[in-house]
């Protein structure tokens, strides 16, 4: 299934468009996956970074009180850090800190997927155009919203940590502290 999804995205004339269509179709099913381990397995084994990025973007859009319409960027990831919450669908019998841990895991995965695939502009191009861009050794172009400062990151991380500590009502477990450090 993962191979077929990857091929469906990459061989299309517009990989970005096809990944959006496929993600829109798959997303409701992800919301209905009952166990974290199953959700993580699906997302971690996804071969198409673009599709994974789009699915995670949808997941965080769904968890925001006020979704943003901006295109995927580092600034949007910071927006998700500030505005997303633990999804009610994922609030089973697991401890509250584990739900925040899952959210941090998905934020890290979104960041890695975004940096790995969509930043490389030629990987967003159709298969036929991609070869020309690779031969020309075209450098990926950053979007304006990818230009974020260390101060932006620091402020958003502090706000996120404060929100999380308020929700947990206790010091952060070591697993979460480690993930916060890695995400930052």
């Amino acid at each position: 299934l993962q191979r077929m999804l990857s091929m469906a995205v990459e061989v299309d004339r517009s990989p970005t468009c096809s990944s959006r269509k496929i993600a829109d179709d798959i997303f409701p099913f992800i919301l209905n996956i009952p166990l974290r381990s199953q959700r993580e397995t699906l997302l971690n084994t996804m071969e198409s970074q673009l599709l994974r990025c789009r699915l995670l973007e949808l997941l965080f859009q769904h968890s925001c009180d006020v979704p943003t319409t901006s295109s995927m960027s580092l600034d949007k990831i910071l927006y998700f850090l500030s505005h997303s919450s633990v999804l009610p669908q994922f609030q089973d019998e697991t401890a509250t800190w584990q739900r925040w841990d899952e959210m941090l895991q998905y934020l890290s995965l979104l960041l890695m997927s975004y940096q790995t695939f969509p930043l490389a502009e030629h990987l967003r191009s159709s298969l036929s155009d991609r070869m020309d861009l690779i031969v020309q050794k075209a450098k990926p172009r950053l979007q304006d919203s990818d230009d974020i400062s260390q101060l932006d990151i620091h402020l958003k991380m502090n706000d996120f940590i404060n929100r999380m500590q308020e929700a947990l009502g206790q010091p952060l477990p070591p697993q979460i502290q480690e993930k916060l450090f890695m995400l930052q």
Side-chain angles (χ1 to χ4, degrees):
L1 176 64
Q2 294 290 8
R3 188 62 160 149
M4 288 174 26
L5 290 171
S6 180
M7 288 172 45
V9 168
E10 291 186 25
V11 299
D12 193 68
R13 284 196 50 76
S14 174
T16 303
C17 184
S18 62
S19 69
R20 286 183 182 278
K21 290 177 187 174
I22 293 169
D24 288 342
D25 288 341
I26 293 174
F27 181 67
F29 297 105
I30 289 179
L31 290 178
N32 290 318
I33 296 175
L35 298 176
R36 174 182 179 177
S37 61
Q38 294 170 333
R39 290 187 294 272
E40 285 184 357
T41 299
L42 174 69
L43 293 167
N44 287 330
T45 60
M46 195 157 285
E47 290 184 19
S48 171
Q49 297 291 328
L50 185 58
L51 183 56
R52 179 187 319 169
C53 188
R54 179 63 184 148
L55 282 168
L56 289 165
E57 180 184 5
L58 286 173
L59 188 67
F60 282 106
Q61 284 280 58
H62 187 72
S63 74
C64 287
D65 291 335
V66 180
T68 177
T69 57
S70 63
S71 62
M72 193 62 216
S73 65
L74 294 176
D75 189 50
K76 189 170 189 174
I77 293 172
L78 285 180
Y79 180 87
F80 290 150
L81 187 67
S82 298
H83 294 87
S84 58
S85 60
V86 178
L87 287 168
Q89 293 91 329
F90 299 163
Q91 294 183 6
D92 50 16
E93 282 75 47
T94 58
T96 305
W97 74 266
Q98 289 173 319
R99 294 192 301 265
W100 283 93
D101 183 65
E102 181 177 11
M103 187 172 137
L104 278 172
Q105 178 70 27
Y106 294 156
L107 273 169
S108 297
L109 194 56
L110 175 62
L111 181 61
M112 287 187 308
S113 296
Y114 181 69
Q115 289 179 326
T116 304
F117 194 92
L119 271 182
E121 191 66 33
H122 64 273
L123 294 175
R124 289 184 178 181
S125 306
S126 68
L127 198 55
S128 56
D129 295 341
R130 200 177 302 167
M131 292 308 291
D132 293 336
L133 291 170
I134 292 171
V135 168
Q136 296 169 4
K137 296 181 181 175
K139 298 285 183 197
R141 292 173 299 180
L142 294 178
Q143 301 177 53
D144 289 340
S145 52
D146 284 329
D147 187 21
I148 57 174
S149 70
Q150 287 287 22
L151 180 61
D152 292 334
I153 295 168
H154 182 73
L155 292 173
K156 299 290 184 181
M157 287 298 290
N158 282 344
D159 288 344
F160 181 76
I161 291 168
N162 290 336
R163 261 191 328 131
M164 192 182 330
Q165 284 179 324
E166 186 178 307
L168 293 176
Q170 61 186 5
L172 299 177
Q175 299 92 322
I176 288 191
Q177 290 177 4
E178 183 179 324
K179 284 187 179 166
L180 285 168
F181 177 75
M182 295 300 290
L183 182 62
Q184 192 165 358

